[in-house]
Amino acid sequence: MSNRIEDLELYLLAEKFGDQIWFVVMEWPYFVRDGFGKQLSNASDSISSNIAEGFGRFHYKENKNFCYFSRGSIIETKGWLRKARNRNLITEHQFLDLIGQLETIHLKLNIYIKAIGKKIDNSKSTNND
């Protein structure tokens, strides 16, 4: 595995998603941006931020822990997007597109979480034989 976060596809997808949310929120009126928009933007940026922070940790258990935080941010972001749709801040088409991207990130994050530490665990079991 590379030691560069930029080589992790999951991170790049999450970062791109956060940028998309930012540009959507920036189109909203000040009142909506200042409260609701900040919450949505912070939640969506937290997805990639936690992936990056975990990636930079020394121990794989810490990496997993930050991935769990990222997963929580995915669910939080879904909630904010549902509210944005219900309040007519985004269209149904935007909602479905953004939710689809989040579901892809969620799936890839779960796969990544399962893979973290596998090489270490496999080498331990090999050494114990």
Side-chain angles (χ1 to χ4, degrees):
M1 181 194 291
S2 171
N3 63 350
R4 291 173 19 101
I5 189 67
E6 298 85 4
D7 293 335
L8 187 61
E9 178 192 14
L10 168 64
Y11 172 78
L12 295 177
L13 289 172
E15 182 182 53
K16 179 183 170 194
F17 180 81
D19 290 345
Q20 283 184 274
I21 293 296
W22 173 266
F23 291 115
V24 168
V25 167
M26 291 307 293
E27 296 293 319
W28 294 346
Y30 175 76
F31 174 78
V32 179
R33 263 194 339 258
D34 187 48
F36 188 92
K38 283 181 180 177
Q39 293 280 15
L40 173 57
S41 185
N42 287 339
S44 65
D45 281 343
S46 181
I47 299 167
S48 62
S49 297
N50 279 302
I51 292 168
E53 187 161 358
F55 187 86
R57 294 298 175 128
F58 178 74
H59 199 272
Y60 74 92
K61 288 181 181 180
E62 287 181 293
N63 190 355
K64 278 188 178 186
N65 199 39
F66 278 96
C67 286
Y68 296 143
F69 296 150
S70 181
R71 193 160 59 189
S73 295
I74 289 171
I75 303 304
E76 179 184 2
T77 302
K78 284 182 180 181
W80 286 113
L81 287 174
R82 290 178 54 82
K83 290 175 185 173
R85 179 196 57 191
N86 295 344
R87 297 172 187 181
N88 296 317
L89 296 169
I90 58 174
T91 66
E92 183 70 19
H93 176 74
Q94 285 176 303
F95 173 76
L96 293 174
D97 178 54
L98 293 168
I99 288 294
Q101 289 180 57
L102 265 183
E103 288 173 353
T104 299
I105 293 166
H106 196 164
L107 176 67
K108 289 183 179 289
L109 179 60
N110 286 338
I111 293 167
Y112 179 63
I113 289 169
K114 287 180 185 174
I116 293 171
K118 290 273 187 201
K119 287 183 181 177
I120 294 168
D121 289 342
N122 287 340
S123 66
K124 284 181 182 176
S125 65
T126 306
N127 292 337
N128 291 336
D129 291 343

